[in-house]
Structures are given as C-alpha cells and as structure tokens.
Amino acid sequence: MEHSDKDISLNTKLNTHFAGRVVRKDLTKKIKEGANVPIYVLEYLLGMYCATDDEDSINDGVERVKNILADNFVRPDEAEKVKSKIRELGQYTVIDKITVKLNERKDVYEAEFSNLGLKGVEISSKYVKDYEKLLSGGIWCILKMSYFFDEEMRNVSPFTITSLTPIQMPNLDTEEIFNGRKYFTKDEWIDVLLRSVGMEPTQFNDRVKWHLLARMIPLVENNYNICELGPRGTGKSHLYKEISPNSILISGGQTTVANLFYNMASKQVGLVGLWDVVAFDEVAGISFKDKDGIQIMKDYMASGSFARGKEEKNASASMVFVGNINQSVDVLLKTSHLFEPFPAAMAYDSAFFDRMHFYIPGWEIPKYRPQYFTDEYGFICDYISEFFREMRKRSYSDAIDRYYNFGNNLNQRDVIAVRKTVSGLVKLIYPDGKFAKEDLEEILIYALEGRRRVKEQLKKIGGMEFYDVHFSHIDKETFDEEFVSVPEQGGGKLIPEGMGKPGHIYLVGRGETGMIGVYKIETEVVTGSGKFERSGLGSNREAKESINTAFNYFKANKKNISGTISVQNFDYLMHIQDLQGIGMTNELSIAAFIAMCSGALKKPVQSQMAILGSMSIGGTITKVEELANTLQVCLDAGAKKILLPMVSVVDLSTVPSELFARFQISFYQTAEDAVFKALGAE
C-alpha cells in the first residue's frame, strides 16, 4: 500500500491527537467480509489492537481481533452452546449487545442480552452510572460472565456479570474533538471526515467532497430534510445504512403513519421518535397506506411535530429522500423537473417540496469504484456517530448574522433552509465554532445553491408563486450583493439564439394537462398542388381545428400579406412539437398562420421570439390567460422577444416589473399585424 507524504502526516496527526479513536479502514474491509458484526464493533476492536503504524504489530492485532470474534462473539444460533460453556467452565468472556432496565419492584438493574437471549441478569449500578447508554438503546460489550446456581434463590438468574467493557463509545467527550480539531486545516479535517465514513478524498474533486459532506448534515442537524436524486451506484444510501448506528433506511415500498410517526393503538412513537435520521431509499416506491400520510409528513417536515389523536408529538429526526434519475439531467430539465422521480402523489405537490432544505445534485457524484474506498486512517465509526449525535444538541444557525444578510428574494422558508444547512456544515467542518469570514461565505454559497435548486423546480411545478429564485447574500461591511447560480440551469435553452429557418416558430400556450409549455411549429413549403398536411398533433381534435382555422384564414387573407404568396402551386407540410411533453395545446392558430406566411415568403421570424395568443375562424384575437405565468415560462425557455395580442394589455399590471423588463414586447391587433411584426417587416 503506497502512502503519499501528505497521507502519512495526516495519519500521524490522527494517531497523535486521537489515539485509540482511529482505525485503518482497509482492515475493516478485510475482516468485515468474513464476520457479520456491526462495523462499529469491529472498528472498536481494531482501534484497540491495531492503533499503530508498525505493519507487524498491525498483523498481530488483526489476528487477535479475528480470534476474539471467533471465540467470544455470540452468534444467535449458538446461544445455548455459549450458555453451557459459562456453566461448565464457571466463567467465560462473551461479546454481545446488552440493554439495561431498572426493576423497581426488586430495586435492582437487570440486563437483557440480544444474541445470548438471557433476561433478568443482575448488573452492578456502577456500570449503569458509568455508561448511561446501556439504559437507552443498549451497547455492545465485552463481558466476563460467571455461573453460580443457588437453590435458595430460585427467582434470581444464576448468571452474573463479573466485568463489563463497552465496545461502543459509552460516552463522548466533545472537548476532545474540539481540542483535536485545532491541529488540522479545513481541507485536512474534511478529508478526515470522509475517510471516517470509508471514502478516499484524494479521488474526488472539491465539489464532490462538499456533496459527500452534505450527506452527513442530517446526522448533525435536527429536523433537516434533504433530497438526493442521481444515477445508480453513487452510494446515496451507504452512509445511512452502514456507517451510522443512529439512522434507519426504509427501502422503498409501503409505509404507514403508525410505523413512521405514531401508533394510536400501542401509544408508541414511530421511527421519527426513535432515530436521528429516517432515510427513504428509492423514492419512486414511497407510498402510504393511509390517505393522510403525505399530509402528516408535510406537517412534520415543516415544524418537527405532528398531531395524532388528541395530542401533538414532537420529534427531531431528519428526513432523507434518495432515488434514481433514469434520464440525463438535461433531458429532465427540458421536459419536466428534477423532482419527477417521486411518486405521483408527491411529484406535483409544491407544498411538499417546499419543505426540502437542500437538494444534492447526485449526477455530479461519480459511480463508486474500488479505489474510492479508503485504506488510510479515519475515526472509528462509533466515535464519529457519537460526535454527530452530540452536535445535534448545538446550533450554529445564527453564524451567518455575524457577517452577512440575505437578499430580498429569499422568503421565510428559504431563510430557514439556508440557515439549517449552514449550521450543519459548520458543525461538521468547524465543530468548535471557530471560523473566518471567507470560511463562512464558502458554506453560505453552497447552502444557497442547494436551496435554489429546490426553488427552481418549484417554479416549474407551481408557477408564479415561486417566482423569486435569484438568491443572494449581502456583506454587512461592504454592502456588496452576490448572487448564486445553479450550474445545471445554465445553457441548453429551448428557444436558441440566432435566426431560425423560415416557417420555424416557437409559441407558448396551455397544454392538455393544464400546464403552460413551449411548442415548436416547423413548416416546409414545397412545389405541389395546394395540399396541406399536418403531423405531431396525435388525436387532439381542438388542436387540429386550431390548425385548420389558420390554414383557412391563410387561404382567404394571403393577399393582405403579399401578392407573391400562392397556395395552388405549393404543398404546405406542418409539424408541431410539444417540447416539454405536457400535452398538445389548442392555442396554435396565430402561430401556425405566421409560420405559413414565413415559409411562403421564405423569411425567418425574429430571433428568440415567442408567439402568444390565438384567433377564431373570423380572425378575432383572444387574450392570453395567466399572462405572468406564461411570461415566466417564456423567460425560462430562453425567449428575449414576445409577440402579444393587444387585448392582453389590461393584464400587464399582474406581471412583476422585473419580469416584464426582461423582454422586448411587440403588440398586435390583427393576424396580419402579427405576421408583419414577427417577420420584422415594419
């Protein structure tokens, strides 16, 4: 195994400042493949016996750990054999998970063994005081057991615990971490965190490292909702399943309100009350048996509480949603939105997604290969999990206020989301709360970007309500305002720059599904006998009528446009494309009429122009419904010029001024007027 100098110094640093708390991660991989013990148990033992740089000592340590696991680890199917050993030998050492309860009738503490299956074994109150975690959820321990049967005391277990050593961290000294953190730079500490969860940071660029850190935020931040969709095999659920003992992964499929939140019959709180993180794997498969499931989930995601029966319950579990995107991101952005893989009950529920604090762009994380897993030193899983858990009790959500204000486009939910993300990342990277202004700015920009990604998709789903996506932060000293962009929202516009071909036109109208979308008409005019053919409309009767209206009007009024236009000697072939896949529109008549004139005259329409409005068979122009939302769609599609019916002037007051200012708007009174303005003939 080759180490670079940098790695050696980082490994040395870790072994110096966190002796016994770190482990070489390749050893975990080696043994894990053969022993079915939780990673954190394994790493604890390795931390005890292999915390050295000397290769021979490491090999001896690994052998010791293997022997300990072989001899003392209790497998559930061999429980009786181990019990017999304790009886025959008088005493024996075992590794098992034990939970302690106070038996108030007898005034003694009693232990229950997970694999050995023993109950009611007396345990000294000294251990309970030292290791509080025994009482809440239990811990894995190495136990010396002895056996003594007394006829007189029939109701007491003959098994006794003579000594107990916890294998998990029984309690954590946060000061130890805060003091140790001072010896590492920011980049070194990020590398340590990534190695602790098994990743090799030298294989990733800085941006991917930040995405991997963002996956950890739910573990340190209460009531944090995050979503990550991306290709398969990028390790989206690995952290929540393997690394942390405080998170639970619900793999797709059905869930119930009782299981997740509160069971009315047994009066027990569900998963959100028992775990720090509830992660949903394969979001496409989430479904609730109960009708009100998604409503309760929305309530919980917004406030951290939910009402069941007569009372309101609070919980602090974070929600994580991970799933796969099947197409490329570009296609998804052009045709729908980035939340599309969610089940139908959620996919167009803007209130549900508005509660997401962050969206990790999973498509930027490479698919995992063997070299992405580390062989260097990192913290023992259990140690880092306890550190994460401890950090949940603190908050750094006010860290921003020291240096920055938010821009005016962020509403209350956006501000809460960004504050939570900043707080989580500060806890991870600067747990001692010591950071400079530029450190915080880096975190703040990243947090704003993740929330803006959510908002951009909401804009596509919910329209004008989510118009303000131009997030920014303002420096308190200099009053400089910096805006944050989202990388995938860049190029690739539906309406491209530059002059198009004659007869090619873009229009924006309402589709069959009720959503507003972008459509393209392509017209070819070829020598022929006056035939008119149209394609791309499917079975939409209203759309066909709209196109026929345009052709009939064209035949009747072509002379008003130009004396050179002939219908008899040419065939007109027209294809209509639904660019966003939201169903065909029936608002085609004006645009189709312009397309025929443009094709016949061989003159292209002005560049980056979108046509709005439609007409009746007699040439009466109808106004545009929902003008503000329609213009927003034009902006997102890349239109710079708008052709708008004069009758819509009355609605301009509903359009926000900053949106209106983004376009050159031309108004038309009649269909002929529309043609001249579209072709720039006046």
Side-chain angles (χ1 to χ4, degrees):
M1 217 171 60
E2 290 187 21
H3 300 269
S4 66
D5 292 344
K6 189 177 162 199
D7 292 333
I8 290 173
S9 65
L10 195 52
N11 291 341
T12 318
K13 266 190 185 178
L14 272 173
N15 273 310
T16 312
H17 302 294
F18 293 100
R21 306 279 193 234
V22 290
V23 64
R24 218 174 77 194
K25 295 287 174 173
D26 61 323
L27 306 178
T28 313
K29 282 191 291 197
K30 275 182 197 160
I31 303 184
K32 174 72 182 147
E33 284 153 12
N36 196 11
V37 286
I39 285 185
Y40 39 90
V41 171
L42 193 56
E43 293 202 343
Y44 183 87
L45 294 171
L46 289 169
M48 268 173 57
Y49 295 111
C50 308
T52 162
D53 283 342
D54 178 44
E55 208 57 44
D56 292 339
S57 317
I58 287 178
N59 291 337
D60 292 348
V62 168
E63 281 310 308
R64 270 195 79 178
V65 171
K66 281 183 177 169
N67 292 339
I68 290 173
L69 287 174
D71 296 342
N72 307 108
F73 179 72
V74 179
R75 289 175 33 188
D77 55 341
E78 292 185 350
E80 291 306 315
K81 204 163 124 188
V82 174
K83 281 187 213 168
S84 146
K85 266 193 179 171
I86 302 172
R87 180 178 182 261
E88 299 311 323
L89 298 171
Q91 66 172 22
Y92 191 65
T93 307
V94 297
I95 297 176
D96 201 349
K97 184 177 184 178
I98 64 166
T99 331
V100 174
K101 288 186 175 128
L102 173 65
N103 182 338
E104 57 269 29
R105 288 195 300 279
K106 295 187 187 168
D107 188 32
V108 290
Y109 288 104
E110 292 181 342
E112 182 178 332
F113 289 68
S114 161
N115 289 356
L116 202 52
L118 293 174
K119 280 184 176 173
V121 178
E122 269 191 45
I123 180 167
S124 154
S125 57
K126 171 174 114 36
Y127 296 126
V128 179
K129 280 180 199 144
D130 288 351
Y131 315 126
E132 285 174 356
K133 215 170 153 190
L134 286 166
L135 296 162
S136 55
I139 30 183
W140 284 84
C141 308
I142 300 180
L143 304 134
K144 273 199 182 136
M145 303 283 294
S146 56
Y147 184 92
F148 176 69
F149 182 75
D150 188 346
E151 293 246 338
E152 308 279 301
M153 301 176 75
R154 293 242 164 213
N155 58 348
V156 175
S157 168
F159 291 95
T160 47
I161 298 171
T162 47
S163 83
L164 174 153
T165 317
I167 298 186
Q168 278 174 262
M169 298 289 146
N171 38 29
L172 179 88
D173 178 12
T174 44
E175 287 304 313
E176 181 179 48
I177 289 194
F178 296 166
N179 292 334
R181 167 69 183 87
K182 339 193 248 274
Y183 300 105
F184 297 82
T185 63
K186 176 197 82 179
D187 291 332
E188 284 180 334
W189 187 252
I190 291 176
D191 288 1
V192 168
L193 287 176
L194 293 180
R195 280 185 182 161
S196 303
V197 298
M199 304 316 309
E200 179 46 62
T202 53
Q203 298 288 326
F204 303 109
N205 62 29
D206 277 353
R207 191 155 165 84
V208 174
K209 285 186 192 179
W210 278 86
H211 298 332
L212 296 175
L213 277 182
R215 288 178 178 173
M216 301 177 199
I217 301 175
L219 294 163
V220 294
E221 192 66 32
N222 293 322
N223 301 106
Y224 187 75
N225 314 316
I226 192 167
C227 152
E228 178 181 351
L229 301 178
R232 291 168 176 77
T234 55
K236 293 186 284 289
S237 53
H238 171 77
L239 176 69
Y240 311 112
K241 191 169 177 39
E242 288 285 334
I243 307 294
S244 172
N246 308 320
S247 65
I248 186 164
L249 187 74
I250 302 174
S251 299
Q254 270 198 338
T255 180
T256 61
V257 171
N259 174 35
L260 204 54
F261 295 105
Y262 188 72
N263 189 327
M264 303 276 284
S266 67
K267 301 261 188 296
Q268 281 190 319
V269 174
L271 298 175
V272 292
L274 302 173
W275 298 88
D276 288 352
V277 176
V278 176
F280 294 90
D281 198 8
E282 308 299 343
V283 289
I286 300 176
S287 65
F288 277 98
K289 281 189 179 160
D290 325 65
K291 290 228 173 18
D292 56 351
I294 290 178
Q295 279 316 112
I296 293 176
M297 193 171 205
K298 281 198 296 206
D299 178 22
Y300 174 73
M301 284 165 73
S303 62
S305 60
F306 52 91
R308 290 292 281 158
K310 290 180 183 167
E311 52 186 327
E312 192 165 10
K313 300 274 178 201
N314 290 318
S316 63
S318 297
M319 294 271 193
V320 177
F321 300 88
V322 295
N324 298 323
I325 289 181
N326 297 323
Q327 318 112 292
S328 79
V329 174
D330 297 347
V331 172
L332 206 57
L333 279 171
K334 280 186 182 173
T335 58
S336 101
H337 55 85
L338 293 175
F339 286 124
E340 197 192 35
F342 275 80
M346 299 173 182
Y348 285 95
D349 185 345
S350 55
F352 174 77
F353 295 122
D354 199 15
R355 289 159 167 76
M356 287 283 176
H357 295 134
F358 198 90
Y359 187 134
I360 302 177
W363 51 91
E364 293 184 11
I365 298 173
K367 288 196 172 208
Y368 279 0
R369 298 201 178 103
Q371 63 265 37
Y372 292 169
F373 295 96
T374 189
D375 290 341
E376 307 299 334
Y377 281 87
F379 288 125
I380 295 170
C381 276
D382 201 52
Y383 185 68
I384 197 145
S385 308
E386 278 306 296
F387 156 57
F388 288 166
R389 191 159 208 180
E390 257 324 291
M391 290 314 282
R392 291 177 85 88
K393 298 173 186 169
R394 302 163 185 257
S395 174
Y396 289 122
S397 54
D398 55 350
I400 302 165
D401 303 336
R402 240 182 271 180
Y403 306 111
Y404 297 101
N405 287 327
F406 289 111
N408 63 356
N409 261 1
L410 283 90
N411 63 27
Q412 185 56 24
R413 275 216 169 120
D414 302 328
V415 170
I416 291 172
V418 172
R419 283 190 183 280
K420 276 186 168 285
T421 309
V422 169
S423 171
L425 284 169
V426 169
K427 287 178 193 179
L428 288 166
I429 306 173
Y430 309 102
D432 48 1
K434 295 185 176 101
F435 48 83
K437 182 176 173 182
E438 52 274 14
D439 297 332
L440 188 74
E441 186 173 30
E442 182 178 32
I443 290 176
L444 179 56
I445 290 172
Y446 184 70
L448 282 163
E449 181 205 304
R451 174 64 188 173
R452 180 167 174 182
R453 186 170 291 108
V454 172
K455 204 77 179 280
E456 288 279 2
Q457 308 319 309
L458 286 172
K459 189 171 78 176
K460 289 190 170 179
I461 301 168
M464 274 327 284
E465 187 188 345
F466 302 101
Y467 169 68
D468 33 3
V469 293
H470 298 291
F471 287 2
S472 59
H473 61 280
I474 301 164
D475 190 314
K476 281 192 170 176
E477 285 173 18
T478 60
F479 298 107
D480 287 346
E481 185 168 15
E482 267 197 54
F483 288 87
V484 171
S485 61
V486 189
E488 66 273 8
Q489 287 299 127
K493 295 287 190 196
L494 289 174
I495 304 179
E497 289 179 30
M499 296 299 264
K501 290 182 180 168
H504 286 213
I505 283 199
Y506 292 92
L507 71 132
V508 173
R510 182 177 293 280
E512 284 171 294
T513 53
M515 288 175 71
I516 300 167
V518 185
Y519 302 87
K520 185 180 184 189
I521 298 182
E522 297 180 3
T523 317
E524 294 294 329
V525 181
V526 295
T527 309
S529 55
K531 284 208 295 270
F532 175 55
E533 287 181 15
R534 50 180 197 231
S535 57
L537 294 173
S539 57
N540 189 320
R541 192 172 56 83
E542 288 179 338
K544 286 176 184 168
E545 280 173 13
S546 179
I547 294 278
N548 289 344
T549 301
F551 188 62
N552 293 334
Y553 192 87
F554 174 66
K555 280 194 298 195
N557 298 287
K558 60 181 188 304
K559 290 286 176 283
N560 300 343
I561 304 292
S562 167
T564 60
I565 297 178
S566 157
V567 174
Q568 283 82 10
N569 303 329
F570 293 94
D571 289 347
Y572 289 79
L573 316 171
M574 185 173 278
H575 179 68
I576 296 93
Q577 262 181 296
D578 170 5
L579 294 178
Q580 290 175 303
I582 60 168
M584 193 43 70
T585 179
N586 54 10
E587 299 169 13
L588 294 164
S589 45
I590 284 280
F593 177 61
I594 298 172
M596 289 173 205
C597 297
S598 160
L601 294 167
K602 297 196 167 31
K603 282 187 75 169
V605 174
Q606 296 189 48
S607 102
Q608 290 183 289
M609 177 173 257
I611 315 285
L612 307 185
S614 59
M615 66 174 171
S616 66
I617 189 110
T620 312
I621 308 291
T622 53
K623 72 175 200 174
V624 179
E625 301 291 323
E626 289 194 58
L627 185 58
N629 281 344
T630 306
L631 287 177
Q632 183 62 52
V633 171
C634 293
L635 180 70
D636 292 343
K640 295 279 176 38
K641 299 181 179 124
I642 304 286
L643 195 59
L644 194 63
M646 194 61 105
V647 285
S648 288
V649 168
V650 292
D651 294 338
L652 284 177
S653 58
T654 63
V655 180
S657 54
E658 51 269 44
L659 179 58
F660 183 75
R662 302 291 288 272
F663 301 110
Q664 271 177 272
I665 298 185
S666 311
F667 297 98
Y668 63 92
Q669 294 245 348
T670 61
E672 288 86 349
D673 186 21
V675 172
F676 293 132
K677 284 183 170 148
L679 299 177
E682 46 169 55

